Amino acid sequence: MQVHENTERLRAIVETAVDGIITIDSEGVVETMNPAAERMFGFTGDELIGRNITELMPEPYRSKHDSYLQRYLTTGERRIIGIGREVLGLRRDGSTFPMELAVSEMHLNGRRMFTGIVRDITERRAAEEKLRRLSALLDDSNDAIKLLDLSGNITAWNSGAERLYGYTESVALKMNIRELLPHDRSSEISEAIERLKRGERIPPFETNRVAANGHVLDIQCTLTLLKGRGGQPDTIVVTDRNITERKQHEAALRGSEAKTRAIVEAAVDAIITIDASGLIESANRAAERLFGYDAADLIGHNVSMLMPSPYREEHDCYIRRYLRTGVKKIIGLGREVYGRRRNGTTFPMELAISELRVDDRIMFTGIVRDISERKQFEQELTERTAVVAETNRILQEANSRAEEATAAKSAFLANMSHEIRTPMTAILGFAERLQDGELNEAERNSAIETIRRNGEHLLQIINDILDISKIEAGKMKVEHIRCSPIEIVQDVISLMKVRADAKGLALEVECAGAVPETIESDPTRLRQILVNLVGNAIKFTQKGSIRIECRLLENDEGPKMQFMVADTGIGMSPLEIERIFMPFSQADPSTTRKFGGTGLGLMVSHRFAQMLGGTITVDSKPEEGSRFCVVVSAGRLDGVRMAHDWHRTNLSAENVPTRPDADSEPLDCHILLAEDGMDNQRLIEHILTRSGATVQVVENGRMAIDAVMATLKASGRSAAERKFDLILLDMQMPEMDGYEAAINLRKIGFVNPIIALTAHAMSGDREKCLAAGCDEYATKPINRKALLNLIRSRIRK
């Protein structure tokens, strides 16, 4: 009874096995084949039983098989028996496929028989090829994957190789593959590389390797030659799989003479048998490895212990329903489910269940295959596909932004060209009219005013461009000094009053509450911000008023000074507001064409406000005007007096105090002017002599030194100091520039002030002039009042 039951159970296992199982006699004649083998090769058992096993082999295996078998029977020399290997199978339709073959020998009743377990690895080979195209090196694989050059030097080393061999990547990349080979296999890889270079294909083979700790490992080795592309050298991909455990298992199986036990224990997949109550009756070693239990721990327990929820709770109900109704939901069919290991972790698996009836008993056999690796490969493929798709999306967005930026820059440059050429046209045109000499006095005055106004406009454009250049280069610096917000607002009103009056616009100032008499900020940049905002307000307002509102803000970040500039102009839409502070952008090209401007002022002002510890915000609606709010840090206000009596009237445009003209105080000094430009010589000499100074003009730095030396020779140092009270020194001159001249003037003993004149206005130019020995720094084009005030301030010291 027990023998019959065991026989039926083993028959059910063989019949439901996923792998093909074929038995042959010592002559190579097929005696049995299970359904999986029939499906795999396309033959029925009736067709193949009694025929030689070579019917299932392509050349050269077919021609050599019988001689291998005969040699083994005669000499005992094994080439495949007891050893798993990869070979090619031949289907009935003539097609071949790769397969894994494990052959075991058994003796029954004095007869020698051989059992072969065959697994079709076509899908695995296809998956490996697909993964190879995605990545030649799967660093997270449990296999040891290495890249070699054609000399065997290791060029890449994955974490699997580090775990297997014990060498870190940094150490391995300094090694040659020969250092992993046993002495008796020292030429194995170099010979294989030569075969690959000749175009030969090397099937996976089993060999040995030596780990860092000296242990010899059994591995299955795969070598592939990857042809270099784009001039890159060829690369050898070496994949080592640790089969030490498998080899040990196979060695144990070779000692078994039981046919059915050899079949079950040699199976790669887990095989578990249960009774009708769901209790486990047997489990093979693969099941032990897969689930983490010893067979003794499983037998007698319900198989639901190997299932996570909700399978665990539903399993016994399925069995009872099947026994009661005969309706099959899983029996006889393969499906994907989840298993649960002893440590509580779950894993995906393929499950095939068959029913076995022995007398009145019903048993079920389940064959389980862990598909974690396959699922991982599939997940990697999905993730990499998603990464590629996301990368493409990002690239498309970046390309769109680049195209938009290019279009914006093109529009900006076109507008900039227009804004520069327009004032230049007016300057050159009216200069030509003045040259004709046919204008009356009123026309001449009008032409001169037009030239001056357009020149100032052109200078403002240049200053904005230089400011942007300095800001973008990170070289713009701001000061933090004591300054009066009252005086800054007064200066802005004084500068803007003429433009507002010309358009009939009221220019008003209002202070909300007390404000400090001084704050810590950069007065030049704060004044520039307010001039830009008030200038824009005047430009885009046709009627009504411009109002400047000042207030002190107190918050957790410290005191802030707020300046709000409101107008009754054309206003802006939300989309236009988003664009006004962007580089190379303007609110609306049509507005720009109508009102002019480069769109640089607001960007520069916004950056300056940020550098001063604040920002600029805007609130605007079309046809309802705009409100620009500037907030800057006020710095420390300890001990600073507050102005409580500001009124709208005493800071209005009509009451802004008039500053004295710079020409009102005559110069009484002797000045040496070193300037190579003839036009600039005449202009500066005229400004200085008209203000009462005596001027001597030279053309370069060498002549300036000669002029000073001449006074030294004539009268001694004290006379030289009286001869030239001050030197105006252009920094860009032929023969000897201003920097070298200043250094040499100080060397020969000139101690009176030297003021640098330069058209350079970038960050660091002032420091460079002062380092050469100059006392002050003035930029070109010359501002008459500023230059005269600067000269007076230096002479008084």
Side-chain angles (χ1 to χ4, degrees):
M1 174 67 179
Q2 181 65 36
V3 173
H4 178 66
E5 181 177 312
N6 288 339
T7 302
E8 289 300 315
R9 178 185 300 160
L10 293 173
R11 182 185 61 79
I13 291 172
V14 171
E15 292 298 311
T16 59
V18 176
D19 293 333
I21 302 174
I22 301 173
T23 303
I24 66 173
D25 63 14
S26 59
E27 300 296 326
V29 176
V30 176
E31 292 197 351
T32 65
M33 64 186 300
N34 69 344
E38 292 178 338
R39 292 190 297 273
M40 191 179 302
F41 290 96
F43 290 95
T44 66
D46 293 338
E47 292 175 323
L48 198 61
I49 291 173
R51 298 167 67 180
N52 195 285
I53 190 65
T54 56
E55 295 285 338
L56 305 180
M57 301 177 184
E59 292 294 351
Y61 306 105
R62 174 177 295 182
S63 302
K64 296 179 179 179
H65 178 266
D66 289 343
S67 61
Y68 287 155
L69 184 58
Q70 189 61 39
R71 184 182 301 113
Y72 168 65
L73 294 173
T74 303
T75 66
E77 178 187 350
R78 298 185 177 190
R79 293 206 174 185
I80 184 169
I81 297 169
I83 303 173
R85 63 179 296 185
E86 291 187 7
V87 294
L88 290 179
L90 178 67
R91 295 189 176 93
R92 181 174 184 174
D93 61 6
S95 61
T96 61
F97 64 97
M99 64 184 190
E100 281 185 348
L101 172 62
V103 179
S104 64
E105 179 185 2
M106 59 190 171
H107 295 265
L108 291 177
N109 300 322
R111 296 179 63 224
R112 278 186 172 182
M113 301 179 65
F114 302 92
T115 299
I117 299 179
V118 179
R119 174 171 296 169
D120 186 347
I121 60 173
T122 302
E123 291 185 2
R124 191 182 76 191
R125 282 288 178 237
E128 290 173 353
E129 175 61 20
K130 191 169 185 179
L131 286 175
R132 190 195 70 83
R133 293 195 301 270
L134 288 175
S135 174
L137 184 62
L138 298 175
D139 194 57
D140 55 355
S141 171
N142 287 326
D143 291 342
I145 302 176
K146 307 170 285 298
L147 296 185
L148 313 177
D149 63 21
L150 297 184
S151 297
N153 297 313
I154 298 172
T155 61
W157 181 266
N158 77 337
S159 56
E162 183 173 338
R163 291 191 296 270
L164 181 60
Y165 292 111
Y167 293 103
T168 64
E169 182 181 20
S170 59
V171 172
L173 294 181
K174 301 175 183 177
M175 297 170 58
N176 190 283
I177 192 65
R178 289 191 301 273
E179 298 178 55
L180 301 179
L181 305 181
H183 292 299
D184 59 343
R185 298 178 183 270
S186 59
S187 61
E188 181 180 85
I189 296 298
S190 59
E191 292 173 355
I193 291 175
E194 292 302 317
R195 290 175 59 192
L196 290 172
K197 288 164 63 176
R198 292 195 298 269
E200 295 183 33
R201 178 185 176 278
I202 301 177
F205 59 96
E206 294 180 3
T207 184
N208 299 112
R209 295 289 181 263
V210 181
N213 59 10
H215 291 171
V216 177
L217 305 174
D218 294 311
I219 66 159
Q220 184 182 68
C221 180
T222 303
L223 287 91
T224 306
L225 175 65
L226 291 181
K227 286 293 186 180
R229 298 178 180 176
Q232 295 298 316
D234 294 347
T235 301
I236 305 297
V237 181
V238 182
T239 303
D240 292 342
R241 174 168 294 177
N242 187 1
I243 58 172
T244 302
E245 184 179 352
R246 193 188 80 189
K247 297 289 286 185
Q248 292 170 350
H249 181 59
E250 290 172 351
L253 288 179
R254 283 194 293 270
S256 175
E257 296 181 358
K259 174 182 176 181
T260 55
R261 191 61 185 169
I263 295 173
V264 173
E265 294 302 325
V268 177
D269 296 329
I271 302 175
I272 299 173
T273 303
I274 65 173
D275 64 15
S277 300
L279 300 180
I280 299 173
E281 295 197 349
S282 68
N284 70 345
R285 292 187 181 180
E288 292 179 330
R289 292 193 299 271
L290 184 59
F291 291 97
Y293 292 93
D294 291 335
D297 298 326
L298 293 173
I299 295 173
H301 293 275
N302 195 289
V303 73
S304 61
M305 69 184 292
L306 304 179
M307 304 174 184
S309 295
Y311 307 105
R312 172 180 298 185
E313 293 77 13
E314 298 173 351
H315 178 264
D316 289 347
C317 295
Y318 287 149
I319 294 180
R320 287 194 295 268
R321 187 181 302 116
Y322 167 66
L323 295 175
R324 186 177 67 254
T325 65
V327 177
K328 299 180 179 180
K329 287 198 172 182
I330 184 172
I331 297 171
L333 302 173
R335 63 180 296 189
E336 290 187 6
V337 293
Y338 276 86
R340 183 178 183 274
R341 296 186 178 92
R342 184 171 190 168
N343 62 11
T345 60
T346 61
F347 63 97
M349 65 184 193
E350 282 183 347
L351 173 63
I353 297 179
S354 65
E355 178 185 0
L356 172 66
R357 292 181 181 266
V358 179
D359 296 330
D360 295 332
R361 294 189 69 227
I362 298 178
M363 294 184 295
F364 303 93
T365 299
I367 298 181
V368 178
R369 174 173 297 173
D370 184 355
I371 57 173
S372 300
E373 185 176 350
R374 191 184 79 192
K375 287 295 186 182
Q376 181 179 349
F377 288 165
E378 292 173 354
Q379 179 64 24
E380 288 178 359
L381 288 173
T382 301
E383 291 176 356
R384 295 191 182 194
T385 301
V387 168
V388 171
E390 177 64 12
T391 301
N392 288 337
R393 185 190 65 78
I394 293 172
L395 289 175
Q396 289 175 354
E397 289 182 357
N399 185 57
S400 297
R401 288 195 296 269
E403 290 176 353
E404 291 174 1
T406 300
K409 287 184 180 180
S410 298
F412 169 80
L413 292 174
N415 182 53
M416 184 64 66
S417 175
H418 170 78
E419 287 297 319
I420 293 175
R421 290 175 181 274
T422 297
M424 286 300 299
T425 300
I427 292 170
L428 296 175
F430 280 96
E432 185 176 353
R433 291 194 65 192
L434 287 172
Q435 191 176 33
D436 291 341
E438 298 178 355
L439 304 179
N440 57 38
E441 183 176 357
E443 290 174 331
R444 284 197 302 274
N445 291 338
S446 176
I448 292 170
E449 175 60 24
T450 299
I451 292 173
R452 184 196 62 77
R453 184 174 64 252
N454 281 275
E456 290 178 350
H457 177 61
L458 189 59
L459 180 60
Q460 182 59 47
I461 294 173
I462 294 171
N463 286 337
D464 285 343
I465 294 173
L466 292 176
D467 284 342
I468 289 177
S469 175
K470 288 185 281 188
I471 290 171
E472 295 296 334
K475 297 182 178 180
M476 174 63 75
K477 306 295 182 183
V478 295
E479 295 182 303
H480 294 280
I481 61 176
R482 282 286 164 190
C483 57
S484 169
I486 300 173
E487 291 184 1
I488 291 172
V489 172
Q490 288 175 337
D491 288 344
V492 173
I493 294 298
S494 177
L495 289 170
M496 296 290 103
K497 183 178 184 302
V498 175
R499 292 176 57 184
D501 290 345
K503 296 186 69 173
L505 302 174
L507 193 56
E508 303 170 349
V509 176
E510 181 176 351
C511 291
V515 296
E517 291 188 357
T518 63
I519 61 174
E520 288 183 353
S521 189
D522 188 322
T524 302
R525 300 309 176 192
L526 181 55
R527 186 181 297 107
Q528 185 175 346
I529 293 171
L530 294 177
V531 167
N532 268 327
L533 296 182
V534 175
N536 276 350
I538 294 173
K539 179 192 298 185
F540 295 109
T541 303
Q542 300 304 314
K543 60 181 179 179
S545 62
I546 313 297
R547 189 176 83 259
I548 304 176
E549 183 179 299
C550 312
R551 72 174 69 235
L552 178 66
L553 304 178
E554 294 284 355
N555 54 41
D556 295 339
E557 298 178 359
K560 304 275 187 178
M561 195 68 197
Q562 182 189 81
F563 302 88
M564 192 271 291
V565 178
D567 63 59
T568 57
I570 62 174
M572 292 178 287
S573 68
L575 180 60
E576 291 171 335
I577 292 175
E578 290 181 5
R579 297 166 56 92
I580 58 174
F581 296 124
M582 294 173 59
F584 310 115
S585 298
Q586 294 171 278
D588 185 350
S590 63
T591 302
T592 301
R593 289 192 296 270
K594 180 177 180 181
F595 292 95
T598 63
L600 299 177
L602 284 178
M603 174 194 169
V604 172
S605 298
H606 188 257
R607 296 290 183 88
F608 282 157
Q610 292 175 329
M611 296 172 73
L612 293 176
T615 188
I616 299 179
T617 58
V618 58
D619 179 22
S620 182
K621 293 182 179 179
E623 306 304 328
E624 295 184 14
S626 301
R627 292 164 56 91
F628 284 83
C629 185
V630 183
V631 176
V632 298
S633 173
R636 294 171 299 175
L637 297 181
D638 300 340
V640 176
R641 292 190 305 175
M642 304 297 290
H644 296 275
D645 56 349
W646 280 27
H647 299 290
R648 182 169 181 169
T649 54
N650 66 18
L651 267 183
S652 66
E654 292 79 2
N655 295 313
V656 172
T658 303
R659 299 183 181 275
D661 194 325
D663 291 340
S664 60
E665 182 182 348
L667 295 177
D668 183 16
C669 59
H670 194 176
I671 297 175
L672 175 63
L673 170 63
E675 165 67 58
D676 64 314
M678 295 296 296
D679 293 335
N680 284 339
Q681 287 179 0
R682 288 161 48 208
L683 174 62
I684 299 173
E685 183 179 13
H686 171 75
I687 291 173
L688 297 177
T689 55
R690 183 181 175 188
S691 298
T694 301
V695 182
Q696 180 176 338
V697 180
V698 295
E699 297 179 1
N700 56 55
R702 173 63 63 193
M703 295 176 68
I705 294 174
D706 291 343
V708 172
M709 290 293 294
T711 62
L712 287 173
K713 292 178 182 178
S715 306
R717 177 173 294 180
S718 61
E721 292 173 358
R722 290 195 301 273
K723 175 67 175 176
F724 298 117
D725 300 292
L726 181 141
I727 297 178
L728 288 176
L729 193 61
D730 182 39
M731 306 310 286
Q732 197 75 23
M733 294 183 291
E735 188 172 343
M736 179 183 288
D737 63 19
Y739 300 105
E740 186 178 355
I743 293 172
N744 284 286
L745 285 169
R746 294 309 187 194
K747 285 183 178 179
I748 64 175
F750 186 80
V751 296
N752 285 342
I754 300 175
I755 296 178
L757 294 176
T758 177
H760 295 170
M762 299 299 288
S763 175
D765 290 329
R766 183 175 187 274
E767 290 75 11
K768 185 177 179 181
C769 293
L770 298 182
C774 298
D775 297 277
E776 281 294 351
Y777 167 94
T779 61
K780 296 179 182 179
I782 296 298
N783 182 302
R784 178 174 58 87
K785 293 182 180 181
L787 178 62
L788 294 177
N789 285 333
L790 181 59
I791 292 173
R792 290 190 181 93
S793 68
R794 297 309 305 180
I795 291 177
R796 292 193 190 106
K797 291 184 178 180

